Amino acid sequence: MRVGVLTGGGDCPGLNAVIRAVVRKGIEVHGWELTGFRNGWQGPLTGESKPLGLRDVEDILTRGGTILRSSRTNPYKVDGGVEKIKAVLAEQEIDALIAIGGEDTLGVAKRLTDDGIGVVGVPKTIDNDLGATDYTFGFDTAVSIATEAIDRLHTTAESHHRALVVEVMGRHAGWIALHSGLAGGASVILVPERHFSVDQVVEWVERRFENEYAPIIVVAEGALPEGGEESLVTGEKDAFGHVRLGGIGTWLADEIAARTGKESRAVVLGHVQRGGTPTAYDRVLATRFGLHAVDAVADGDFGVMVALKGTDIVRVKLSEATAELKTVPLERYEEAEVFFG
């Protein structure tokens, strides 16, 4: 049997751990031939691939990024895209695909399954916003990086008695902001799921200053003020229709400075959250996902995604996993508000 593997969408710590697990189990347990398609769904479209052997994955467990590289290619936006993929898979004698990605990559996987191609999905996103799984790998690393940054910013904020606004990733879900903000002892946490009052934020900030405390405000890139609109870096959209967000941190820092008369600075963590060595938790979770994805292929159970439920790895339908984003429940956010101000 010959199985293809690809990584799509934004890069994420732990991708290489999945690839390693798939290759090792596929070869050592089942005797399969593994093929790595490069640059996400672009690989199966163009035929750009390479064989994956044990030596190719020997030392990649601790590496961030992906040895297969990635892209945001959407084959359903390409004329004859599905036919091209079918032709490439037939030419390279690929019997099944393991697609590692988030909502967009797995949305394509679901549609390809419906179109007769055998695909098993593995959930990847630092945003932790993919449905039907408790956690995605990459999230723990991103939160750890953001928390360390907040820890470091506390000392410089206190030294200069200024407010610091930390912008983290999170387009429509505020999981990174919520977890890193709580772990880092932030004064204010702002998430996309709930529009915020600038007046309330300023009140909390001023209260902190009155108590001789330098406030840290953590804001997700997709968070919006009441009555506000998304702050856009560019009006351009990717192949999946997503607009690039950003700028809310700088905007909020300027508002705080103007309203309080106190010095306020913005720190945008950006892609720092995606890079570097995955945490031990993400390495283990990614490895378990890879091993169970191989089991699904071996069983001929296509159109599924491996998922974490409690401490168990289970299979769920790709249709369930991509039906809607997993956002921060209001009650979870309200739990954190006890620490604000």
Side-chain angles (χ1 to χ4, degrees):
M1 187 173 187
R2 184 171 292 173
V3 178
V5 185
L6 63 86
T7 55
D11 65 297
C12 175
L15 284 168
N16 286 324
V18 180
I19 297 169
R20 173 178 176 268
V22 168
V23 171
R24 291 192 61 178
K25 187 167 187 177
I27 293 175
E28 295 179 340
V29 175
H30 298 286
W32 296 344
E33 293 181 43
L34 276 297
T35 296
F37 285 101
R38 295 173 65 83
N39 303 315
W41 289 115
Q42 184 179 322
L45 276 171
T46 63
E48 188 177 1
S49 64
K50 65 176 184 178
L52 289 175
L54 295 177
R55 285 202 167 188
D56 296 302
V57 300
E58 190 174 87
D59 60 351
I60 67 172
L61 178 64
T62 62
R63 288 171 57 182
T66 164
I67 62 170
L68 296 178
R69 301 194 179 179
S70 190
S71 74
R72 297 189 185 277
T73 302
N74 184 352
Y76 285 92
K77 295 291 186 179
V78 177
D79 288 340
V82 176
E83 289 70 26
K84 290 179 181 178
I85 289 178
K86 287 182 177 180
V88 166
L89 297 183
E91 180 183 347
Q92 298 193 18
E93 300 180 335
I94 302 296
D95 300 297
L97 282 174
I98 294 177
I100 312 165
E103 56 165 325
D104 295 326
T105 301
L106 298 186
V108 170
K110 190 267 179 189
R111 294 182 66 179
L112 288 176
T113 300
D114 294 341
D115 287 329
I117 298 175
V119 187
V120 170
V122 176
K124 169 245 43 161
T125 168
I126 66 170
D127 291 329
N128 197 42
D129 60 357
L130 198 59
T133 183
D134 290 345
Y135 286 99
T136 55
F137 70 87
F139 173 66
D140 185 71
T141 302
V143 169
S144 297
I145 291 169
T147 301
E148 181 181 357
I150 295 167
D151 290 345
R152 292 175 180 274
L153 290 170
H154 271 295
T155 59
T156 185
E158 290 165 3
S159 296
H160 295 275
H161 202 54
R162 61 167 62 117
L164 284 177
V165 179
V166 185
E167 182 182 315
V168 300
M169 286 187 168
R171 175 183 296 275
H172 300 299
W175 292 107
I176 295 176
L178 180 64
H179 282 239
S180 65
L182 281 171
S187 302
V188 181
I189 302 169
L190 305 173
V191 297
E193 290 85 348
R194 179 170 171 177
H195 290 188
F196 63 89
S197 163
V198 179
D199 291 338
Q200 179 66 77
V201 171
V202 169
E203 180 184 330
W204 281 328
V205 167
E206 288 181 325
R207 189 184 308 165
R208 282 311 211 184
F209 276 129
E210 289 171 1
N211 293 330
E212 294 295 317
Y213 185 91
I216 299 285
I217 300 93
V218 177
V219 57
E221 62 185 339
L224 296 173
E226 292 174 348
E229 296 182 358
E230 291 175 329
S231 179
L232 307 180
V233 173
T234 173
E236 297 179 0
K237 295 183 179 181
D238 64 20
F240 293 93
H242 298 309
V243 177
R244 183 180 167 200
L245 294 180
I248 187 65
T250 300
W251 178 86
L252 184 58
D254 290 343
E255 284 290 311
I256 291 172
R259 298 190 187 203
T260 66
K262 298 287 188 179
E263 187 177 2
S264 181
R265 301 284 180 84
V267 178
V268 181
L269 297 186
H271 287 78
V272 170
Q273 296 157 92
R274 291 193 180 278
T277 301
T279 60
Y281 179 88
D282 277 340
R283 296 181 205 181
V284 172
L285 180 59
T287 298
R288 295 182 70 198
F289 278 156
L291 297 176
H292 282 263
V294 169
D295 291 341
V297 172
D299 293 341
D301 192 6
F302 300 119
V304 301
M305 180 190 82
V306 292
L308 180 69
K309 294 290 187 180
T311 58
D312 297 326
I313 305 296
V314 300
R315 299 175 195 172
V316 298
K317 294 293 184 183
L318 281 169
S319 56
E320 179 186 352
T322 58
E324 61 181 359
L325 290 176
K326 181 181 68 183
T327 55
V328 175
L330 183 60
E331 59 270 21
R332 181 78 67 87
Y333 184 71
E334 289 176 341
E335 284 177 359
E337 281 191 308
V338 70
F339 292 104
F340 294 0

